[in-house]
Structure formats: structure tokens, C-alpha cells
């Protein structure tokens, strides 16, 4: 158990819908990262937050957005869902913000878009 | 094609050395990483190397970087069955964006 929690574990929804994925970092970690893992696209870094502010942006679509709240939990919002958005979404956290700081991964949320 | 390329499969016998290779395309990459993903789990950062280094050793892991050829390798000495996993190579040009390879599935046979 990494100490990073993600909810829900599984999510099944329809095209065009909007969902919110939630992540709680390890206690004391200030930085949160979101990743998408799919068969088509492989593993992609989406976005990083540090202490409530966006720190780095990767291959995140405009239909997707994220935020980190004062209690440091983070949410990833996916809207106008398409079939290709079906993937495993991982959240990770680290103490600080450096890329070489050890990132602890959550168990992931499996999103299925029908 | 992908910016970061890896072979998809590698099979070794327990006790042998494993070498997983990776090529990347962005010469401005300042950090290069190796991650491990076990079944049903997230990624675990194994090791990383700065672009101004040629080699880094960390216990059973050795990372070699050939910056001229944009080639990165991960050597696992005395490979154990617990090393069976998918290994991802990743580059980060500016310590922000990260690009991953497709992953190499390492199978360790007893």
C-alpha cells in the first residue's frame, strides 16, 4: 500500500458524459501527478500540481482539467468523453516537486467509456 | 512513431543479467528514467540519470547512457523472479513534461 488513494476504482460511463476522478496523496506529500495508461497511447503524463498550483503540463486534452485543493487532494475532470478515453488513470504523489523525487502511485481508476 | 522506443519483450533465466534497451529522440532531454510496473500496480521509479552522466549504479541496477546515440540501457544483475514486470524508459526534456516508451515486459524463468 503506497498511501495514495484513488476513487473510484472502476467507472463505466457513456460517450459525451463527464466524470471526476479523485486522488488523495500520501500524508505530507505536496505534489500530485496524473497519468493515463491505455493500450493505444501507452503511458502518458497528464499534469502535475504542487501545493495547490499547476506545476507542469503534459499531454492533457483540453476536455480534461484538474485541480488540487487546499487539503492537497486532487481531482481530474474528464468531459465530453469519447471511446478513446477508456484507460487506467493513475495518480501519484511526492514530497516535493522535482521529477526525480520518488513518486508513489495509487492503485488507479479504470475508466470505461461505452 | 513514439519518441521513446523500447523492445516489447525480454526473457531471461533466474540469476542471469537482464539488459533492457531504450532509444530516445529529444537531445535536449536532461533527465532519463527507468520505471517498473508490476501487474495491477502503478509505476515505481527505479532509477534516473542526468544527461551529463554516462553511468549510474545502484545496487543490482546499472544505467548506461550514450548521449551521442541517444541510447539508454538498464542492466539488472542476478535477475530474480520478483524482477518480472514491465519496465518503462522515460525522458524529460525540461523536468516537466515526461514521455514514456511502450514498456518492456521482462519475464524471469526459474
Amino acid at each position: 500500500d503506497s498511501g495514495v488513494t484513488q476513487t473510484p476504482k472502476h467507472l463505466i460511463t457513456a460517450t459525451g458524459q463527464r466524470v471526476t476522478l479523485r486522488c488523495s496523496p500520501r500524508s505530507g506529500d505536496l505534489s500530485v501527478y496524473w497519468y493515463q495508461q491505455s493500450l493505444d497511447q501507452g503511458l502518458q503524463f497528464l499534469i502535475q500540481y504542487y501545493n495547490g498550483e499547476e506545476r507542469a503540463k503534459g499531454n492533457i486534452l483540453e476536455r480534461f482539467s484538474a485541480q488540487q485543493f487546499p487539503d492537497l487532494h486532487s481531482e481530474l475532470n474528464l468531459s465530453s468523453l469519447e471511446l478513446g478515453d477508456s484507460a487506467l488513470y493513475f495518480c501519484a504523489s511526492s514530497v516535493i516537486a522535482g521529477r526525480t523525487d520518488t513518486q508513489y502511485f495509487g492503485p488507479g481508476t479504470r475508466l470505461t467509456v461505452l | 512513431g513514439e519518441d521513446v522506443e523500447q523492445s516489447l519483450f525480454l526473457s531471461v533465466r533466474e540469476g542471469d543479467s537482464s539488459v533492457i534497451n531504450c532509444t530516445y529522440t529529444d537531445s535536449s532531454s536532461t533527465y532519463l528514467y527507468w520505471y517498473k510496473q508490476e501487474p495491477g500496480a502503478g509505476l515505481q521509479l527505479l532509477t534516473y540519470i542526468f544527461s551529463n552522466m554516462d553511468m549510474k549504479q545502484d545496487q543490482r541496477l546499472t544505467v548506461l547512457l550514450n548521449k551521442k546515440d541517444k541510447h539508454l540501457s538498464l542492466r539488472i544483475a542476478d535477475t530474480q523472479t520478483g524482477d518480472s514486470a514491465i519496465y518503462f524508459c522515460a525522458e524529460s526534456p525540461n523536468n516537466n513534461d515526461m514521455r514514456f516508451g511502450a514498456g518492456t515486459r521482462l519475464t524471469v524463468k526459474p
Side-chain angles (χ1 to χ4, degrees):
Chain A
D1 184 359
S2 66
V4 178
T5 59
Q6 290 187 246
T7 56
K9 276 193 170 178
H10 302 277
L11 195 49
I12 301 174
T13 188
T15 55
Q17 295 298 305
R18 173 190 167 94
V19 297
T20 297
L21 312 184
R22 184 189 166 101
C23 169
S24 292
R26 291 188 323 151
S27 177
D29 284 1
L30 298 178
S31 200
V32 170
Y33 309 77
W34 285 98
Y35 295 87
Q36 178 196 59
Q37 187 175 36
S38 66
L39 287 175
D40 291 342
Q41 303 286 333
L43 184 64
Q44 293 192 92
F45 163 67
L46 295 178
I47 197 163
Q48 177 197 0
Y49 280 82
Y50 175 71
N51 206 20
E53 294 191 2
E54 184 184 303
R55 180 68 177 243
K57 215 166 188 173
N59 226 7
I60 188 166
L61 299 173
E62 284 190 13
R63 299 184 286 109
F64 297 180
S65 64
Q67 52 185 326
Q68 186 179 28
F69 295 86
D71 68 353
L72 301 177
H73 92 270
S74 178
E75 292 181 355
L76 178 67
N77 301 296
L78 314 176
S79 61
S80 303
L81 285 167
E82 301 175 0
L83 296 177
D85 297 328
S86 294
L88 197 52
Y89 290 84
F90 287 110
C91 164
S93 73
S94 65
V95 175
I96 51 176
R99 274 271 169 245
T100 54
D101 186 25
T102 300
Q103 296 180 32
Y104 294 88
F105 278 74
T109 293
R110 184 170 293 281
L111 173 67
T112 303
V113 182
L114 301 176
Chain B
E2 290 177 329
D3 294 331
V4 180
E5 294 190 354
Q6 307 175 234
S7 53
L8 294 182
F9 301 98
L10 177 65
S11 180
V12 301
R13 293 224 170 263
E14 193 174 17
D16 288 350
S17 291
S18 307
V19 179
I20 302 171
N21 294 301
C22 168
T23 56
Y24 61 98
T25 56
D26 194 328
S27 58
S28 68
S29 288
T30 53
Y31 296 88
L32 296 142
Y33 309 86
W34 285 104
Y35 287 84
K36 176 184 181 182
Q37 185 178 30
E38 296 185 71
L43 271 71
Q44 174 192 352
L45 177 62
L46 282 180
T47 188
Y48 65 91
I49 189 167
F50 293 110
S51 60
N52 62 357
M53 296 168 66
D54 297 324
M55 185 183 89
K56 182 178 180 182
Q57 189 154 1
D58 184 2
Q59 298 181 342
R60 292 190 297 123
L61 306 179
T62 303
V63 179
L64 293 177
L65 175 61
N66 181 330
K67 208 176 169 189
K68 175 176 166 288
D69 296 337
K70 299 192 190 71
H71 182 266
L72 184 73
S73 68
L74 173 70
R75 179 177 179 269
I76 306 173
D78 187 24
T79 314
Q80 303 297 307
T81 53
D83 294 324
S84 292
I86 301 176
Y87 291 81
F88 291 91
C89 169
E91 63 172 347
S92 179
N94 54 13
N95 207 26
N96 288 324
D97 190 12
M98 287 191 73
R99 292 191 285 266
F100 291 86
T104 299
R105 184 180 294 276
L106 174 64
T107 302
V108 183
K109 298 179 180 177

